[in-house]
């Protein structure tokens, strides 16, 4: 399940609604990943329809997490996504962060732009890239653009589009447990189990270091849907409103401190703390 | 995952809200299993607080499905569960059916009674036993008595008690997709993966023939949670309000016409009908 491309940069995907005003544990980890006090962050708010309050909130939060150099950008078409100042900010950044909103707005407005093309190159060479909510969804090659909550795994429960494609082997979904999106993620993986499905809960982050080592931090869980061992699956032949049947899905749920090596399928768990219950 | 006890009788568990007034597909299958026109059904309504309307509805439905000999009983304590007429009805029945309501009412009022003791003996020898909703939940050895919907897999999301124990290796949950009970079933299986978790959607039935061959019929899905290959699991050591982490759960979803052999782990799917989409 390792990405076929060899990628040096870390990916940091958050399931939305991360704490931005109190402990800011998850954002603090992202800033540390990007160099802490030496971080130079480029924050892109294209997913948002009304970016000003979000920009203000992230500016305060990232500063409180120790970042000192911040550039905010709101490109909304290919033209503004090849602006030379923006590209310079990308070239000198130690981390790029996509805020939330609407992932389809994000990829339709700047997908395939010069900004995203260069982002690929720099991520492959080692640049950390993060995003929350819609900004997390957009990072994979296949993106869940829309979909029904509280659904069985059925084709009609999701609409997929191409994402930015920073990772070719991951499908990222967010607000996962909170909005009951398990069915749509299952359906996405059933459609062609070349990708690993990752369901991110709110205030929870997935860190993928290089192209293999995945670890989880924050309040909730990351649900991993692995179709690589599927034995049977009828989503391609049943009516799209019908629930799909399948056999042999593997399922993992990781919480704060757990990690998983995609290449080796090996788990590392946090050192258990005895709770005193007997 | 085969039941360690060798059981001859079929189990027929329905996820609740099965059609009782139109096609009655699921109830029709139960009547056929019990002998069709020769069926002698004993219908037990103990789970229900107000059984009269339910009894009337099932009487009409079972008759329209071709059953001619029906006995309805509403034992509500151990004394009424050893009534000689009731035990005679059990001895001559070709099928027993538990209606829905509250599964904890059902097992607390007649669990361990002479009726249930004899039901075990007759089921092992070949008697078909069915139930819907609470009446399905009560059939296993471990029962989900109560639990939170829309929850992650956490110990606080469910309360388990002993069930009737007709099957020692199954935990049955119902109204499964409709009430988003995946988390509580995962938690139940995590607690000790000796049992297979089975989540039954509404108007959907699971037929277990003997102790190995499981098949699905009806409108929805049956979700199978198989913890036998789990590699790691922390539900026993994290605070009970915290989501549990785990690695290596197997997950299957079966729909109408699919079957699964518990002993061999082998799937049989319905013959695909090409849908003409290209």
């Amino acid at each position: 399940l390792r990405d076929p491309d060899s990628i040096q940069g870390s990916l940091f995907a958050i399931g939305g609604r991360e704490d931005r005003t109190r402990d800011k544990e998850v954002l603090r980890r992202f800033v540390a990943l990007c160099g802490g006090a030496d971080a130079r962050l480029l924050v892109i708010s294209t997913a948002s329809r009304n970016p000003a309050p979000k920009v203000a909130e992230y500016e305060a939060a990232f500063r409180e997490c120790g970042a000192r150099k911040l550039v905010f950008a709101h490109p909304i078409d290919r033209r503004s996504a090849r602006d030379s100042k923006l590209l310079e900010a990308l070239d000198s950044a130690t981390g790029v962060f996509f805020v939330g909103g609407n992932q389809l707005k994000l990829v339709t407005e700047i997908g395939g732009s010069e900004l995203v093309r260069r982002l690929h190159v720099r991520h492959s060479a080692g640049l950390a890239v993060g995003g929350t909510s819609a900004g997390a969804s957009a990072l994979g090659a296949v993106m869940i653009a829309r979909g029904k909550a509280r659904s069985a795994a059925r084709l009609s429960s999701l609409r997929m589009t191409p994402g930015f494609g920073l990772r070719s082997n991951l499908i990222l979904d967010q607000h996962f447990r909170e909005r009951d999106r398990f069915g749509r993620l299952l359906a996405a993986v059933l459609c062609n189990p070349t990708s690993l499905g990752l369901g991110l809960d709110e205030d929870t982050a997935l860190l993928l270091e290089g192209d293999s080592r995945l670890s989880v931090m924050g309040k909730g869980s990351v649900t991993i849907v692995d179709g690589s061992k599927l034995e049977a699956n009828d989503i391609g032949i049943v009516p799209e409103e019908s629930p799909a049947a399948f056999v042999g899905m593997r399922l993992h749920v990781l919480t704060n401190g757990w990690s998983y090596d995609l290449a080796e399928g090996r788990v590392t768990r946090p050192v258990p703390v005895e709770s005193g219950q007997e």
Side-chain angles (χ1 to χ4, degrees), chain A:
Chain A
L1 288 164
R2 187 178 214 125
D3 198 294
D5 309 318
S6 175
I7 295 175
Q8 305 297 315
S10 291
L11 197 83
F12 194 91
I14 308 172
R17 291 180 69 97
E18 72 283 355
D19 173 20
R20 289 163 220 159
T21 55
R22 288 161 294 143
D23 284 352
K24 301 178 278 294
E25 173 65 19
V26 163
L27 292 179
R28 204 174 293 280
R29 296 288 287 268
F30 180 67
V31 171
L33 178 72
C34 300
D38 297 323
R40 293 183 301 278
L41 299 186
L42 171 59
V43 180
I44 298 174
S45 55
T46 306
S48 177
R49 206 182 268 270
N50 175 28
K54 240 172 215 170
V55 164
E57 195 174 30
Y58 277 103
E59 178 153 19
F62 280 135
R63 288 205 189 283
E64 288 165 26
C65 291
R68 292 179 297 193
K69 299 197 175 168
L70 296 166
V71 174
F72 285 84
H74 189 69
I76 52 161
D77 53 24
R78 280 166 185 71
R79 183 191 173 98
S80 50
R82 59 173 184 261
D83 174 78
S84 60
K85 277 192 171 162
L86 174 57
L87 297 178
E88 281 164 26
L90 174 61
D91 287 343
S92 66
T94 61
V96 173
F97 188 83
F98 291 93
V99 310
N102 170 355
Q103 59 263 44
L104 196 56
K105 179 174 187 303
L106 180 57
V107 301
T108 53
E109 290 183 346
I110 65 169
S113 67
E114 180 61 16
L115 176 72
V116 174
R117 198 193 61 74
R118 284 212 210 181
L119 184 66
H120 269 258
V121 174
R122 292 219 56 221
H123 180 55
S124 292
L127 177 67
V129 178
T132 185
S133 190
S137 282
L139 301 175
V142 170
M143 183 180 90
I144 297 178
R146 288 174 189 165
K148 284 190 195 118
R150 311 203 61 177
S151 172
R154 54 184 107 215
L155 195 57
S156 63
S157 71
L158 86 162
R159 192 168 301 284
M160 289 182 284
T161 71
F164 286 152
L166 293 179
R167 298 291 172 150
S168 62
N169 61 338
L170 306 179
I171 299 177
L172 294 149
D173 204 358
Q174 18 80 18
H175 301 286
F176 189 70
R177 178 60 258 168
E178 292 79 5
R179 299 188 187 173
D180 184 12
R181 289 175 161 175
F182 191 57
R184 75 184 208 177
L185 185 62
L186 281 171
V189 172
L190 288 175
C191 281
N192 188 346
T194 51
S195 297
L196 200 67
L198 295 165
L200 313 175
D201 291 356
E202 294 175 356
D203 201 14
T204 306
L206 167 81
L207 167 64
L208 181 54
E209 294 169 279
D211 52 10
S212 178
R213 190 183 147 88
L214 186 157
S215 54
V216 173
M217 56 207 74
K219 299 277 193 304
S221 312
V222 172
T223 299
I224 304 179
V225 176
D226 175 358
S228 64
K229 302 264 169 51
L230 274 174
E231 291 159 25
N233 167 16
D234 69 2
I235 200 168
I237 56 173
V238 296
E240 66 174 47
E241 294 290 344
S242 299
F246 57 88
V247 172
M249 191 70 85
R250 293 187 84 213
L251 180 70
H252 317 301
V253 170
L254 306 186
T255 54
N256 188 53
W258 286 69
S259 60
Y260 186 74
D261 189 296
L262 296 179
E264 300 173 14
R266 199 183 52 230
V267 178
T268 312
R269 56 190 296 176
V271 178
V273 178
E274 293 299 328
S275 71
Q277 287 163 25
E278 281 170 25

